[in-house]
Amino acid sequence: MDKVEISSETILYPMPCCIVGTLVDNRPNYLAVAWLTMVNPKPPCIGIALNKVHYSNGGIRQSGSFSVNIPSADMVEVTDYCGVVSGRRYDKSKEFETFYGKSSGAPMIKECPYNVECRLINVVDLPSNELFIGEVLAVYSDERYLTEGVPDMKKVNPLILSMPERSYLALGRRVGSAWEAGRKLIRK
Ligand SMILES: Cc1cc2nc3c(=O)[nH]c(=O)nc-3n(C[C@H](O)[C@H](O)[C@H](O)COP(=O)(O)O)c2cc1C
């Protein structure tokens, strides 16, 4: 075997980086989250894995809601800020203009290119984290980030995290068509 074994921190990367919003004691709080994924298509559901020590967890349980806000790469500083200070000591909501959608428990960030409003449907208990699973109630965006009604990643310019390199990256170039690029390898 020519491969070398590397740190087990280097498992999945790069990761999309978002800002999760929730209400804690009626005040919007925001934290940076990179451990997130779609977990179900119909109804669409998102899972976010949060360490049990965070201030936000109690708010998600209390309100039964959270939001996933997708920042652009030029929001790198404010996203990082939401990931290095806790709402226990800092009012992070001062950094953003907050808006609400269908539910009153999921504060969302106006400055982010798009926002996903979720209703909490399940919590999976893990040794140090809680996996919060939310059903998507609605997704909001601004016209200027869309092409033919869907988010255009060149316009959104999402923020990517490489955990092992402790670095933020921006998206690279388009390299192929999804669910199509591999079809020519299908042998009859
Ligand atoms: C880029 C970045 C990504 C992060 N991703 C996660 C994550 O996926 N899960 C998690 O529990 N904490 C994550 N954190 C840490 C929390 O965002 C951080 O501890 C935050 O201060 C908690 O805020 P709160 O106490 O106000 O809830 C991340 C931090 C950064 C900087």
Side-chain angles (χ1 to χ4, degrees):
M1 186 178 80
D2 292 336
K3 285 187 184 274
V4 290
E5 188 173 341
I6 57 173
S7 158
S8 56
E9 256 197 22
T10 313
I11 304 175
L12 299 174
Y13 82 109
M15 298 172 170
C17 202
C18 76
I19 306 174
V20 166
T22 191
L23 275 188
V24 189
D25 296 332
N26 292 322
R27 192 185 75 192
N29 189 56
Y30 296 107
L31 84 161
V33 170
W35 291 16
L36 81 146
T37 181
M38 288 291 303
V39 292
N40 197 66
K42 273 185 190 164
C45 295
I46 291 180
I48 55 169
L50 302 189
N51 196 291
K52 289 176 188 172
V53 300
H54 296 327
Y55 182 61
S56 301
N57 300 34
I60 297 176
R61 286 175 183 281
Q62 251 172 38
S63 66
S65 314
F66 63 90
S67 69
V68 172
N69 303 273
I70 308 297
S72 59
D74 56 20
M75 292 176 70
V76 60
E77 283 180 7
V78 76
T79 304
D80 193 71
Y81 169 72
C82 289
V84 294
V85 302
S86 174
R88 283 192 188 91
R89 285 197 56 196
Y90 294 83
D91 180 0
K92 293 183 257 185
S93 69
K94 287 187 178 149
E95 303 303 316
F96 307 107
E97 194 178 325
T98 291
F99 74 98
Y100 291 88
K102 297 177 199 291
S103 76
S104 53
M108 287 176 277
I109 298 174
K110 194 115 188 259
E111 293 83 348
C112 284
Y114 65 103
N115 318 84
V116 185
E117 183 182 12
C118 297
R119 176 179 72 89
L120 182 68
I121 57 165
N122 206 349
V123 185
V124 180
D125 190 41
L126 297 162
S128 37
N129 277 20
E130 294 176 299
L131 179 68
F132 291 98
I133 299 178
E135 180 184 341
V136 174
L137 294 179
V139 184
Y140 306 91
S141 188
D142 301 84
E143 242 354 289
R144 67 179 187 281
Y145 296 114
L146 308 178
T147 298
E148 290 172 10
V150 294
D152 179 330
M153 287 306 133
K154 277 207 203 73
K155 297 176 182 171
V156 170
N157 189 22
L159 184 61
I160 314 289
L161 171 70
S162 169
M163 265 182 75
E165 295 171 305
R166 298 181 77 81
S167 294
Y168 294 109
L169 309 170
L171 209 61
R173 64 190 172 86
R174 184 179 187 278
V175 294
S177 296
W179 293 282
E180 216 179 297
R183 288 192 181 277
K184 61 173 169 247
L185 300 182
I186 299 173
R187 288 179 188 92
K188 294 208 171 94

